[in-house]
Amino acid sequence: MKFWSFLPWLCGAALLAGPLAPQQNALVFYRVMLLIAVTVATAGAFRAARNFERGDALLTTWAVLAGGYVLLWVRYVIRLLVTLHVMELPVTFDRALLIVHNIAVPVALWLFVRAWRTTGLAGPVSRGAFIAAVMGGLAIAIAVGAYPFLNGSHNTDTAVLISTLGDMISIALIVPLLMPALGMRGGLLMYTWLYLALAQIVWLMYDIWALMRTGSNWSSPWALALDQALRAVALMYIFSASAAQRRALAHAADEPTLRQSMQILPT
Amino acid sequence: MTLVIPASSVVTGGKSPAEVVREHLTPYMGAFTARNAVQLTAKQCFSGTPADELTLTQIPTLIEGLGPMLRTLLGKAGADKVVGEVRWALGL
């Protein structure tokens, strides 16, 4: 599991090689790397969904998450083709993809939180501490989401508004996603929830970095590289979460049973 | 021909049945939540009876009570497998 924890950061570090290339090549490099990351994340989410049966709560959850990332995959393919001058950016379609993706992902994350809550299991902290932590997460989400609008650094495009709202909801879900992870510490299922929360934490870092860049007019190649690297890390944590989910289910399916371990071979 | 040694007497030796259930849940959900889940379900199914006071004959009801939670976290196939393991370990 340690490998799945570090893999996203290794992928992110690879994107920091971008500034070493000429600007146009660096853009293509970022697009290709992000496309690979989103492909891996989407495939992982679909494979996790396939491990569940109809009627299982997490089937819907993983399927919605995978669907959301398919839309991002299409968006990244278009961006790559635009960067390669194969086509013009279909602005309306691109915005529609952005809107639906930013609805699907928070819905999926909320379904994960709801799945945990339906188990009726308490978290590792008191109810008061949980509410305080959720409120803290909400405050951060509102601060990060609202600042660009108050600051006038964002336009009021519907797609951007919905994207920001989606980001805010996802950020607000970090604490509720971390609670099951803390509760299940030491267990295989912990990693699924932990990596989902880490993905959102990295998206939060990305949002903060984007705000800092906007506010400071940082446009150096390294600033852009860090921007792209954080995206790749967040995407790869979705893959890590799906890998952790599959590993837990595989453990249940393939665990050598006591029966088998106690069987005496035929004589 | 395969000779199978009955497990219940071997595996549970010295442990309460609830402890055996906990041990089977721990690899998936960790010790804290495994203990929490068994304790909570025991209290719900047996009017507040602590899990460690449950007898072997009460364990099928406990396992049934744990079913929805296991199915949510592990899916039907995974939950069935874990429940099967617990039943076999306890000779049920």
Side-chain angles (χ1 to χ4, degrees):
Chain A
M1 279 298 165
K2 282 181 184 171
F3 173 72
W4 302 119
S5 304
F6 292 112
L7 178 69
W9 295 103
L10 287 174
C11 294
L15 270 89
L16 294 178
L20 303 175
Q23 192 180 4
Q24 183 58 26
N25 291 353
L27 280 177
V28 174
F29 171 70
Y30 295 139
R31 299 288 187 216
V32 169
M33 291 297 278
L34 284 177
L35 185 56
I36 292 170
V38 78
T39 303
V40 168
T42 307
F46 269 119
R47 287 189 66 194
R50 283 186 58 197
N51 280 277
F52 290 96
E53 297 175 19
R54 189 183 289 269
D56 291 346
L58 291 183
L59 168 66
T60 312
T61 305
W62 278 110
V64 173
L65 192 65
Y69 278 101
V70 165
L71 301 172
L72 194 62
W73 182 86
V74 173
R75 203 161 173 256
Y76 282 10
V77 168
I78 292 171
R79 295 273 165 157
L80 176 62
L81 295 175
V82 169
T83 306
L84 293 171
H85 306 294
V86 173
M87 61 185 287
E88 291 289 313
L89 181 69
V91 177
T92 309
F93 183 59
D94 183 68
R95 285 182 183 174
L97 288 173
L98 179 65
I99 289 171
V100 183
H101 167 75
N102 279 294
I103 292 171
V105 171
V107 166
L109 295 175
W110 177 75
L111 287 172
F112 271 105
V113 172
R114 198 183 69 156
W116 169 254
R117 291 184 67 83
T118 57
T119 65
L121 295 166
V125 296
S126 69
R127 187 164 175 77
F130 173 73
I131 291 170
V134 170
M135 289 301 169
L138 269 174
I140 293 171
I142 290 167
V144 171
Y147 178 78
F149 292 102
L150 296 175
N151 198 30
S153 57
H154 257 332
N155 58 43
T156 49
D157 185 314
T158 312
V160 176
L161 276 170
I162 292 174
S163 169
T164 305
L165 190 63
D167 284 350
M168 288 167 66
I169 294 168
S170 299
I171 291 166
L173 289 171
I174 288 173
V175 173
L177 284 169
L178 276 175
M179 287 299 149
L182 281 172
M184 293 193 283
R185 61 190 176 277
L188 288 170
L189 289 167
M190 170 189 81
Y191 294 99
T192 303
W193 306 82
L194 178 65
Y195 294 152
L196 286 170
L198 282 172
Q200 300 318 306
I201 288 170
V202 176
W203 279 123
L204 172 63
M205 289 164 66
Y206 169 81
D207 285 342
I208 292 171
W209 175 240
L211 277 179
M212 287 168 64
R213 280 188 70 197
T214 309
S216 313
N217 272 331
W218 288 337
S219 55
S220 80
W222 291 103
L224 178 63
L226 183 57
D227 185 288
Q228 304 297 306
L230 287 172
R231 285 183 182 204
V233 174
L235 289 169
M236 289 305 291
Y237 265 125
I238 296 296
F239 169 71
S240 292
S242 70
Q245 179 76 79
R246 284 186 285 118
R247 189 174 174 219
L249 298 180
H251 188 272
D254 300 334
E255 186 183 19
T257 65
L258 291 168
R259 267 174 303 241
Q260 287 164 343
S261 63
M262 287 189 175
Q263 279 179 350
I264 295 171
L265 292 172
T267 54
Chain B
M1 181 190 135
T2 302
L3 178 64
V4 179
I5 301 170
S8 55
S9 59
V10 180
V11 180
T12 63
K15 295 172 190 167
S16 69
E19 180 64 27
V20 175
V21 177
R22 272 197 295 269
E23 283 181 358
H24 278 80
L25 301 186
T26 298
Y28 303 98
M29 52 189 72
F32 174 86
T33 296
R35 189 173 61 245
N36 191 2
V38 171
Q39 198 65 33
L40 192 75
T41 309
K43 284 186 176 172
Q44 281 172 353
C45 294
F46 302 103
S47 314
T49 307
D52 285 324
E53 290 176 17
L54 297 182
T55 62
L56 198 55
T57 55
Q58 291 173 307
I59 293 299
T61 308
L62 177 77
I63 293 172
E64 208 170 295
L66 287 166
M69 181 268 295
L70 284 174
R71 183 167 174 164
T72 298
L73 294 175
L74 291 170
K76 187 177 183 304
D80 287 350
K81 180 79 175 176
V82 173
V83 165
E85 287 298 318
V86 173
R87 283 184 187 279
W88 194 83
L90 290 168
L92 296 169

PDB file of all heavy atoms in Angstrom, chain A residues 29-49:
ATOM      1  N   PHE A  29       3.755  17.965 -23.564  1.00  0.00           N
ATOM      2  CA  PHE A  29       4.162  17.017 -22.523  1.00  0.00           C
ATOM      3  C   PHE A  29       3.149  17.013 -21.373  1.00  0.00           C
ATOM      4  O   PHE A  29       2.698  15.947 -20.935  1.00  0.00           O
ATOM      5  CB  PHE A  29       5.557  17.413 -22.019  1.00  0.00           C
ATOM      6  CG  PHE A  29       6.020  16.661 -20.800  1.00  0.00           C
ATOM      7  CD1 PHE A  29       6.350  15.308 -20.878  1.00  0.00           C
ATOM      8  CD2 PHE A  29       6.141  17.302 -19.573  1.00  0.00           C
ATOM      9  CE1 PHE A  29       6.787  14.616 -19.752  1.00  0.00           C
ATOM     10  CE2 PHE A  29       6.574  16.615 -18.446  1.00  0.00           C
ATOM     11  CZ  PHE A  29       6.893  15.276 -18.532  1.00  0.00           C
ATOM     12  N   TYR A  30       2.744  18.200 -20.914  1.00  0.00           N
ATOM     13  CA  TYR A  30       1.775  18.281 -19.812  1.00  0.00           C
ATOM     14  C   TYR A  30       0.446  17.641 -20.217  1.00  0.00           C
ATOM     15  O   TYR A  30      -0.163  16.894 -19.449  1.00  0.00           O
ATOM     16  CB  TYR A  30       1.510  19.739 -19.406  1.00  0.00           C
ATOM     17  CG  TYR A  30       2.699  20.455 -18.819  1.00  0.00           C
ATOM     18  CD1 TYR A  30       2.979  21.778 -19.152  1.00  0.00           C
ATOM     19  CD2 TYR A  30       3.547  19.809 -17.921  1.00  0.00           C
ATOM     20  CE1 TYR A  30       4.063  22.441 -18.611  1.00  0.00           C
ATOM     21  CE2 TYR A  30       4.647  20.466 -17.383  1.00  0.00           C
ATOM     22  CZ  TYR A  30       4.902  21.784 -17.735  1.00  0.00           C
ATOM     23  OH  TYR A  30       5.978  22.431 -17.202  1.00  0.00           O
ATOM     24  N   ARG A  31       0.000  17.977 -21.430  1.00  0.00           N
ATOM     25  CA  ARG A  31      -1.290  17.433 -21.896  1.00  0.00           C
ATOM     26  C   ARG A  31      -1.251  15.914 -21.952  1.00  0.00           C
ATOM     27  O   ARG A  31      -2.197  15.237 -21.562  1.00  0.00           O
ATOM     28  CB  ARG A  31      -1.643  17.979 -23.282  1.00  0.00           C
ATOM     29  CG  ARG A  31      -1.806  19.484 -23.351  1.00  0.00           C
ATOM     30  CD  ARG A  31      -3.061  19.951 -22.693  1.00  0.00           C
ATOM     31  NE  ARG A  31      -3.298  21.366 -22.910  1.00  0.00           N
ATOM     32  CZ  ARG A  31      -3.830  22.173 -22.003  1.00  0.00           C
ATOM     33  NH1 ARG A  31      -4.197  21.705 -20.832  1.00  0.00           N
ATOM     34  NH2 ARG A  31      -4.029  23.441 -22.270  1.00  0.00           N
ATOM     35  N   VAL A  32      -0.145  15.372 -22.492  1.00  0.00           N
ATOM     36  CA  VAL A  32      -0.027  13.912 -22.629  1.00  0.00           C
ATOM     37  C   VAL A  32       0.015  13.260 -21.243  1.00  0.00           C
ATOM     38  O   VAL A  32      -0.685  12.267 -20.987  1.00  0.00           O
ATOM     39  CB  VAL A  32       1.231  13.542 -23.449  1.00  0.00           C
ATOM     40  CG1 VAL A  32       1.506  12.042 -23.378  1.00  0.00           C
ATOM     41  CG2 VAL A  32       1.069  13.970 -24.903  1.00  0.00           C
ATOM     42  N   MET A  33       0.808  13.838 -20.350  1.00  0.00           N
ATOM     43  CA  MET A  33       0.942  13.253 -19.005  1.00  0.00           C
ATOM     44  C   MET A  33      -0.385  13.295 -18.242  1.00  0.00           C
ATOM     45  O   MET A  33      -0.757  12.330 -17.559  1.00  0.00           O
ATOM     46  CB  MET A  33       2.031  13.987 -18.207  1.00  0.00           C
ATOM     47  CG  MET A  33       3.433  13.765 -18.724  1.00  0.00           C
ATOM     48  SD  MET A  33       3.956  12.039 -18.629  1.00  0.00           S
ATOM     49  CE  MET A  33       4.469  11.930 -16.919  1.00  0.00           C
ATOM     50  N   LEU A  34      -1.100  14.410 -18.366  1.00  0.00           N
ATOM     51  CA  LEU A  34      -2.393  14.507 -17.685  1.00  0.00           C
ATOM     52  C   LEU A  34      -3.407  13.538 -18.297  1.00  0.00           C
ATOM     53  O   LEU A  34      -4.237  12.967 -17.593  1.00  0.00           O
ATOM     54  CB  LEU A  34      -2.933  15.939 -17.742  1.00  0.00           C
ATOM     55  CG  LEU A  34      -2.266  16.919 -16.779  1.00  0.00           C
ATOM     56  CD1 LEU A  34      -2.813  18.328 -16.967  1.00  0.00           C
ATOM     57  CD2 LEU A  34      -2.470  16.487 -15.325  1.00  0.00           C
ATOM     58  N   LEU A  35      -3.306  13.362 -19.618  1.00  0.00           N
ATOM     59  CA  LEU A  35      -4.208  12.406 -20.278  1.00  0.00           C
ATOM     60  C   LEU A  35      -3.928  10.992 -19.772  1.00  0.00           C
ATOM     61  O   LEU A  35      -4.858  10.221 -19.510  1.00  0.00           O
ATOM     62  CB  LEU A  35      -4.035  12.492 -21.802  1.00  0.00           C
ATOM     63  CG  LEU A  35      -4.988  11.641 -22.631  1.00  0.00           C
ATOM     64  CD1 LEU A  35      -6.447  11.959 -22.308  1.00  0.00           C
ATOM     65  CD2 LEU A  35      -4.719  11.832 -24.117  1.00  0.00           C
ATOM     66  N   ILE A  36      -2.641  10.668 -19.616  1.00  0.00           N
ATOM     67  CA  ILE A  36      -2.292   9.344 -19.077  1.00  0.00           C
ATOM     68  C   ILE A  36      -2.848   9.206 -17.653  1.00  0.00           C
ATOM     69  O   ILE A  36      -3.463   8.198 -17.303  1.00  0.00           O
ATOM     70  CB  ILE A  36      -0.756   9.140 -19.081  1.00  0.00           C
ATOM     71  CG1 ILE A  36      -0.244   9.035 -20.525  1.00  0.00           C
ATOM     72  CG2 ILE A  36      -0.364   7.893 -18.285  1.00  0.00           C
ATOM     73  CD1 ILE A  36       1.272   9.074 -20.652  1.00  0.00           C
ATOM     74  N   ALA A  37      -2.653  10.253 -16.838  1.00  0.00           N
ATOM     75  CA  ALA A  37      -3.111  10.202 -15.442  1.00  0.00           C
ATOM     76  C   ALA A  37      -4.630  10.023 -15.364  1.00  0.00           C
ATOM     77  O   ALA A  37      -5.129   9.202 -14.587  1.00  0.00           O
ATOM     78  CB  ALA A  37      -2.686  11.469 -14.701  1.00  0.00           C
ATOM     79  N   VAL A  38      -5.365  10.769 -16.191  1.00  0.00           N
ATOM     80  CA  VAL A  38      -6.834  10.669 -16.125  1.00  0.00           C
ATOM     81  C   VAL A  38      -7.305   9.332 -16.706  1.00  0.00           C
ATOM     82  O   VAL A  38      -8.310   8.761 -16.256  1.00  0.00           O
ATOM     83  CB  VAL A  38      -7.519  11.882 -16.806  1.00  0.00           C
ATOM     84  CG1 VAL A  38      -7.529  11.790 -18.306  1.00  0.00           C
ATOM     85  CG2 VAL A  38      -8.936  12.049 -16.286  1.00  0.00           C
ATOM     86  N   THR A  39      -6.571   8.806 -17.683  1.00  0.00           N
ATOM     87  CA  THR A  39      -6.917   7.486 -18.239  1.00  0.00           C
ATOM     88  C   THR A  39      -6.759   6.418 -17.161  1.00  0.00           C
ATOM     89  O   THR A  39      -7.642   5.557 -16.972  1.00  0.00           O
ATOM     90  CB  THR A  39      -6.013   7.148 -19.444  1.00  0.00           C
ATOM     91  OG1 THR A  39      -6.149   8.178 -20.415  1.00  0.00           O
ATOM     92  CG2 THR A  39      -6.387   5.820 -20.064  1.00  0.00           C
ATOM     93  N   VAL A  40      -5.645   6.475 -16.449  1.00  0.00           N
ATOM     94  CA  VAL A  40      -5.374   5.504 -15.384  1.00  0.00           C
ATOM     95  C   VAL A  40      -6.422   5.632 -14.270  1.00  0.00           C
ATOM     96  O   VAL A  40      -6.951   4.620 -13.781  1.00  0.00           O
ATOM     97  CB  VAL A  40      -3.937   5.734 -14.833  1.00  0.00           C
ATOM     98  CG1 VAL A  40      -3.716   4.971 -13.549  1.00  0.00           C
ATOM     99  CG2 VAL A  40      -2.902   5.320 -15.875  1.00  0.00           C
ATOM    100  N   ALA A  41      -6.742   6.869 -13.889  1.00  0.00           N
ATOM    101  CA  ALA A  41      -7.738   7.095 -12.821  1.00  0.00           C
ATOM    102  C   ALA A  41      -9.114   6.573 -13.245  1.00  0.00           C
ATOM    103  O   ALA A  41      -9.803   5.904 -12.457  1.00  0.00           O
ATOM    104  CB  ALA A  41      -7.821   8.580 -12.488  1.00  0.00           C
ATOM    105  N   THR A  42      -9.495   6.854 -14.488  1.00  0.00           N
ATOM    106  CA  THR A  42     -10.816   6.431 -14.978  1.00  0.00           C
ATOM    107  C   THR A  42     -10.899   4.909 -15.058  1.00  0.00           C
ATOM    108  O   THR A  42     -11.883   4.302 -14.615  1.00  0.00           O
ATOM    109  CB  THR A  42     -11.093   7.038 -16.374  1.00  0.00           C
ATOM    110  OG1 THR A  42     -10.886   8.447 -16.300  1.00  0.00           O
ATOM    111  CG2 THR A  42     -12.507   6.768 -16.835  1.00  0.00           C
ATOM    112  N   ALA A  43      -9.851   4.295 -15.625  1.00  0.00           N
ATOM    113  CA  ALA A  43      -9.836   2.833 -15.740  1.00  0.00           C
ATOM    114  C   ALA A  43      -9.881   2.200 -14.348  1.00  0.00           C
ATOM    115  O   ALA A  43     -10.599   1.208 -14.131  1.00  0.00           O
ATOM    116  CB  ALA A  43      -8.586   2.390 -16.489  1.00  0.00           C
ATOM    117  N   GLY A  44      -9.151   2.782 -13.406  1.00  0.00           N
ATOM    118  CA  GLY A  44      -9.150   2.261 -12.042  1.00  0.00           C
ATOM    119  C   GLY A  44     -10.533   2.330 -11.412  1.00  0.00           C
ATOM    120  O   GLY A  44     -10.986   1.373 -10.772  1.00  0.00           O
ATOM    121  N   ALA A  45     -11.214   3.461 -11.617  1.00  0.00           N
ATOM    122  CA  ALA A  45     -12.555   3.629 -11.039  1.00  0.00           C
ATOM    123  C   ALA A  45     -13.537   2.624 -11.648  1.00  0.00           C
ATOM    124  O   ALA A  45     -14.360   2.035 -10.944  1.00  0.00           O
ATOM    125  CB  ALA A  45     -13.040   5.058 -11.253  1.00  0.00           C
ATOM    126  N   PHE A  46     -13.435   2.421 -12.966  1.00  0.00           N
ATOM    127  CA  PHE A  46     -14.318   1.434 -13.617  1.00  0.00           C
ATOM    128  C   PHE A  46     -14.039   0.022 -13.094  1.00  0.00           C
ATOM    129  O   PHE A  46     -14.964  -0.758 -12.839  1.00  0.00           O
ATOM    130  CB  PHE A  46     -14.134   1.462 -15.140  1.00  0.00           C
ATOM    131  CG  PHE A  46     -15.081   2.407 -15.813  1.00  0.00           C
ATOM    132  CD1 PHE A  46     -14.612   3.486 -16.545  1.00  0.00           C
ATOM    133  CD2 PHE A  46     -16.457   2.228 -15.738  1.00  0.00           C
ATOM    134  CE1 PHE A  46     -15.481   4.375 -17.163  1.00  0.00           C
ATOM    135  CE2 PHE A  46     -17.345   3.105 -16.347  1.00  0.00           C
ATOM    136  CZ  PHE A  46     -16.843   4.175 -17.063  1.00  0.00           C
ATOM    137  N   ARG A  47     -12.761  -0.308 -12.944  1.00  0.00           N
ATOM    138  CA  ARG A  47     -12.417  -1.645 -12.449  1.00  0.00           C
ATOM    139  C   ARG A  47     -12.903  -1.839 -11.014  1.00  0.00           C
ATOM    140  O   ARG A  47     -13.345  -2.930 -10.653  1.00  0.00           O
ATOM    141  CB  ARG A  47     -10.907  -1.864 -12.534  1.00  0.00           C
ATOM    142  CG  ARG A  47     -10.435  -2.063 -13.974  1.00  0.00           C
ATOM    143  CD  ARG A  47      -8.992  -2.502 -14.014  1.00  0.00           C
ATOM    144  NE  ARG A  47      -8.806  -3.826 -13.429  1.00  0.00           N
ATOM    145  CZ  ARG A  47      -7.630  -4.340 -13.098  1.00  0.00           C
ATOM    146  NH1 ARG A  47      -6.531  -3.634 -13.274  1.00  0.00           N
ATOM    147  NH2 ARG A  47      -7.525  -5.547 -12.591  1.00  0.00           N
ATOM    148  N   ALA A  48     -12.820  -0.786 -10.213  1.00  0.00           N
ATOM    149  CA  ALA A  48     -13.335  -0.882  -8.833  1.00  0.00           C
ATOM    150  C   ALA A  48     -14.841  -1.122  -8.861  1.00  0.00           C
ATOM    151  O   ALA A  48     -15.367  -1.954  -8.114  1.00  0.00           O
ATOM    152  CB  ALA A  48     -13.003   0.382  -8.061  1.00  0.00           C
ATOM    153  N   ALA A  49     -15.538  -0.391  -9.755  1.00  0.00           N
ATOM    154  CA  ALA A  49     -17.000  -0.552  -9.856  1.00  0.00           C
ATOM    155  C   ALA A  49     -17.360  -1.981 -10.257  1.00  0.00           C
ATOM    156  O   ALA A  49     -18.314  -2.563  -9.737  1.00  0.00           O
ATOM    157  CB  ALA A  49     -17.565   0.443 -10.863  1.00  0.00           C
TER     158      ALA A  49
END
